[in-house]
Amino acid sequence: MSQSVDSDVKKDPRFLPTNVTPVRYYLRLEPDILGNTFNGCVAIDLDINNHTLSIVLHALDLDVQDAAVLVEGKSYVRCPSVQYDRAAERITISFEERLRAGSQAQLMCTFSGTLSAAQSGFYRMKYKGENGGERWIASTQMQPNSCRRAFPCFDQPGLKAQFNVTLIVEPHLTCLGNMDIISEEPVAQRSSKKAVTFRETPPMSTYLVSFAVGDRLHRIVTHEFRVPIHIYTASAKDAKVATFALNLASKTMNLFERTLKYQYPLPKLDVLSVPNFQAGANGELGLAQKQQVVEVVIHELAHQWFSCSVTTKSWDATWLNKGFATWMFVAKELQAALVLDSLRSSHPIEFRVEPGQEGEVLDAISYQKGSSVIRAISDYLGKDIFLAGEASGLNVKTLMDLWVLEQGYPVLTVTENPEAGKVSVTQNRFLRTADVQPEDDKVLYPVPLNVYTKAGLSKFTLKGRSFAFDTPLDFYKINSNQIGLYRTLYPPTKLRKLAVAAKDGLLSIEDRIGIIADTGALTSAGLDNSSTLLSLVEEFEFEDEYLTWKTMIAQLDAMRAAWLFEPEEVENSFI
């Protein structure tokens, strides 16, 4: 199976040479959890794309002891030279005989390493067992680029291959992996060890490779989904939470299959509750690791479709993985995205990722802003068209490019013309520091207005600096349900009318949170008066939703923080 690589990838020094393409891995690992080491061997089937005397692949903190190449299943090419480039996290394996383009070869390496203490690659963690004794678990965290810490590999998301994994462990240990176990038998002449072999995976990226070895893990199972779902925990004391998570997982998987009309591709799903897991959660295909329950479970299971079944070619577009998984179940992410992206230290959703930056792009801009932009595009196209991936006839690329490739977002200033019955909006760059310079304000975003009135929803798009539209002035709400990624600055009189409309039940909880959060952010930036926010919050004494109150308290706290270094009598006047 040959894999093409785009010309820009061929020329990009961030990527491995394209003289070979990995097709299939055969990995055999033997961890010594108590000794904190592991040994392994890997055989990688390769398609030879160009005549070559060397193969370059990724390896980090591994001791590669031996390497050889089998050509066309017949003759061995010895590899007398293995060169390390630690800065690039690569090894170059050179050989004396040239591999010819169009042929197939198999690269074989033996290696050893240390189980990481940093919870990346192949690592171990200590925890207390039910009797208070010390126990260990060895597991993996390959994302974004730590598979190279576990075994030599072509550690780029675009280089998908199939993986065959065998773990050599003590008989009492439990082994988990991406796929189901196809054999478990004693190792010949080594009665103290067993070989656990997993079914071959579908083609997937290296960062999705996952396996775990634990001592006396507890398992519960449900068959309420099309394939069995298991949850493994370190202690039977976690059974109540695990049962809740298991029921949630089965409902979530059924929902995703119905909504996305694409079946989960594997024969099982294991959920592993890992003690003290620093990354919070980890959604490798077929094996998801959890500390938290509801949002984390749903988010990581969404990754079984977004970033597992479908992946990006490089980490430049990692926001698609994280944004889609977040978009599937959370609309509240918008406010976090707006706060973060109003800073000068923010960055575009998609940008060139240099070596060593892969982990840095897994931030809140990728998650929250990415999901918010996806949510806005879904609303713009219509959810059914969006989910089906159908051609809409709309210029989606033009709409998305500025939101994805540019940093920041606008504030829309609203003015009313009662005589003409018109409302005008003008966009400018929004910064929390309120020091927008002319060079900061050059980008004009295509802004979906989504104006809600008593008559229903009207959709307009602001394509330039300003735009005017007809609407009843007694009640209208711009950015209905807070779909768009922008702030709205209303006149104070209009805010009072919106507060009355909220009391009358005309505004959704998203809209109520939105006008409070917008007013608070604009007040903190000096674009509105503090009295405007205080008057608005006072109007919301009727509110009975927790999230709305949480937003109000957060905005008042932010306003008080702005007075922190004022004289005591000024600060106390706020209490």
Side-chain angles (χ1 to χ4, degrees):
M1 180 175 65
S2 178
Q3 179 173 340
S4 62
V5 183
D6 290 348
S7 58
D8 60 335
V9 173
K10 292 180 182 179
K11 298 175 183 177
D12 196 323
R14 298 175 300 163
F15 296 90
L16 293 171
T18 59
N19 55 341
V20 300
T21 300
V23 176
R24 184 172 283 104
Y25 291 76
Y26 299 90
L27 175 64
R28 187 178 178 95
L29 278 175
E30 183 172 353
D32 178 1
I33 300 179
L34 293 180
N36 199 30
T37 62
F38 61 90
N39 297 304
C41 59
V42 64
I44 310 173
D45 289 344
L46 302 170
D47 284 340
I48 309 303
N49 303 320
N50 307 104
H51 298 324
T52 185
L53 286 168
S54 64
I55 297 172
V56 181
L57 66 165
H58 290 107
L60 180 61
D61 297 333
L62 296 175
D63 179 16
V64 179
Q65 289 118 15
D66 191 25
V69 176
L70 180 66
V71 182
E72 297 290 356
K74 298 177 182 178
S75 60
Y76 278 96
V77 176
R78 302 304 300 176
C79 305
S81 173
V82 178
Q83 296 177 317
Y84 289 83
D85 183 346
R86 182 171 178 80
E89 302 179 356
R90 298 177 180 184
I91 57 172
T92 300
I93 300 174
S94 302
F95 24 86
E96 297 174 355
E97 300 176 43
R98 184 173 64 173
L99 302 182
R100 295 187 175 275
S103 63
Q104 283 76 45
Q106 187 178 76
L107 171 65
M108 293 166 286
C109 297
T110 59
F111 58 93
S112 61
T114 300
L115 292 170
S116 170
Q119 295 190 11
S120 62
F122 196 16
Y123 66 92
R124 70 171 187 168
M125 289 184 300
K126 181 171 64 175
Y127 65 98
K128 287 186 178 181
E130 294 177 350
N131 60 359
E134 183 179 279
R135 287 191 186 175
W136 294 88
I137 186 170
S139 189
T140 54
Q141 167 61 21
M142 306 301 199
Q143 188 176 4
N145 59 346
S146 290
C147 192
R148 64 193 69 178
R149 295 177 181 270
F151 57 94
C153 59
F154 295 81
D155 202 9
Q156 293 173 192
L159 295 177
K160 292 187 176 184
Q162 294 176 276
F163 293 83
N164 298 267
V165 178
T166 297
L167 299 177
I168 309 299
V169 298
E170 287 81 3
H172 68 280
L173 296 179
T174 301
C175 294
L176 304 175
N178 296 92
M179 301 296 288
D180 53 323
I181 295 172
I182 57 174
S183 71
E184 186 170 334
E185 54 194 14
V187 177
Q189 300 178 339
R190 296 178 64 188
S191 59
S192 62
K193 296 280 187 175
K194 67 178 179 179
V196 180
T197 300
F198 298 92
R199 192 181 305 277
E200 183 176 72
T201 72
M204 66 184 195
S205 305
T206 49
Y207 75 86
L208 297 174
V209 175
S210 188
F211 41 83
V213 180
D215 183 6
R216 293 185 288 274
L217 297 177
H218 297 267
R219 186 188 78 162
I220 58 175
V221 62
T222 181
H223 296 281
E224 294 300 314
F225 180 52
R226 186 177 46 79
V227 301
I229 302 176
H230 311 95
I231 286 190
Y232 292 83
T233 64
S235 171
K237 297 178 182 178
D238 299 327
K240 185 175 181 180
V241 174
T243 300
F244 172 76
L246 191 65
N247 293 333
L248 176 65
S250 63
K251 292 176 181 178
T252 301
M253 295 295 282
N254 281 306
L255 173 64
F256 284 165
E257 282 201 341
R258 289 196 307 270
T259 303
L260 299 172
K261 297 180 174 57
Y262 183 85
Q263 286 192 345
Y264 170 72
L266 302 189
K268 60 87 183 177
L269 174 65
D270 294 338
V271 179
L272 174 62
S273 178
V274 179
N276 307 316
F277 187 60
Q278 292 176 359
N282 175 14
E284 276 86 0
L285 188 61
L287 177 60
Q289 302 174 350
K290 306 291 176 287
Q291 268 190 317
Q292 302 151 340
V293 184
V294 179
E295 290 186 1
V296 172
V297 168
I298 297 173
H299 178 91
E300 298 307 324
L301 293 182
H303 274 309
Q304 303 302 308
W305 283 265
F306 304 113
S307 90
C308 291
S309 295
V310 179
T311 59
T312 57
K313 180 172 291 187
S314 74
W315 291 108
D316 294 5
T318 190
W319 71 276
L320 289 169
N321 296 346
K322 300 303 180 182
F324 266 103
T326 306
W327 164 76
M328 284 300 295
F329 71 102
V330 175
K332 70 179 184 181
E333 301 295 334
L334 174 65
Q335 293 306 321
L338 290 171
V339 170
L340 290 164
D341 207 31
S342 65
L343 301 172
R344 288 191 179 277
S345 58
S346 179
H347 60 78
I349 295 177
E350 183 171 326
F351 63 98
R352 180 183 172 91
V353 178
E354 300 296 341
Q357 290 183 324
E358 294 89 350
E360 296 175 19
V361 300
L362 302 177
D363 63 4
I365 296 297
S366 297
Y367 281 85
Q368 280 96 345
K369 188 179 180 182
S371 66
S372 299
V373 169
I374 291 169
R375 180 171 175 246
I377 295 300
S378 170
D379 179 79
Y380 177 72
L381 296 176
K383 188 173 291 186
D384 291 340
I385 292 175
F386 180 77
L387 288 173
E390 298 172 358
S392 64
L394 301 172
N395 193 340
V396 178
K397 184 178 186 302
T398 299
L399 182 65
M400 286 194 70
D401 273 357
L402 287 174
W403 292 107
V404 171
L405 302 177
E406 295 289 341
Q407 175 183 336
Y409 62 88
V411 52
L412 268 57
T413 302
V414 179
T415 56
E416 297 180 348
N417 185 337
E419 291 77 15
K422 286 183 176 292
V423 171
S424 296
V425 292
T426 300
Q427 67 163 303
N428 297 98
R429 171 78 181 277
F430 177 72
L431 288 174
R432 286 172 64 184
T433 49
D435 56 347
V436 177
Q437 303 300 314
E439 59 269 22
D440 299 323
D441 200 22
K442 293 180 179 179
V443 177
L444 296 177
Y445 295 89
V447 181
L449 296 180
N450 288 9
V451 180
Y452 180 65
T453 68
K454 291 179 181 178
L457 184 66
S458 299
K459 292 192 174 185
F460 309 102
T461 300
L462 169 60
K463 298 180 180 179
R465 180 69 68 185
S466 299
F467 177 73
F469 55 90
D470 297 319
T471 191
L473 298 185
D474 59 331
F475 169 66
Y476 65 90
K477 167 64 171 65
I478 295 173
N479 199 11
S480 177
N481 288 324
Q482 297 300 113
I483 297 293
L485 196 73
Y486 56 92
R487 300 286 190 192
T488 307
L489 176 58
Y490 293 102
T493 53
K494 179 60 189 174
L495 275 179
R496 286 193 290 272
K497 290 182 180 179
L498 285 172
V500 172
K503 187 175 182 178
D504 293 341
L506 294 176
L507 296 183
S508 66
I509 184 173
E510 291 89 354
D511 281 332
R512 301 199 302 275
I513 290 173
I515 61 174
I516 294 166
D518 283 0
T519 304
L522 295 167
T523 299
S524 296
L527 299 179
D528 211 338
N529 296 322
S530 57
S531 59
T532 302
L533 175 61
L534 294 172
S535 297
L536 179 64
V537 168
E538 189 175 24
E539 295 286 348
F540 270 78
E541 61 180 359
F542 68 88
E543 184 61 55
D544 59 4
E545 287 287 348
Y546 164 75
L547 289 177
T548 311
W549 275 102
K550 183 178 179 181
T551 303
M552 286 191 284
I553 292 169
Q555 299 308 321
L556 293 174
D557 282 346
M559 180 189 292
R560 182 173 182 180
W563 296 348
L564 189 60
F565 298 105
E566 295 294 328
E568 185 175 352
E569 61 271 17
V570 175
E571 183 181 355
N572 290 340
S573 67
F574 185 73
I575 299 175

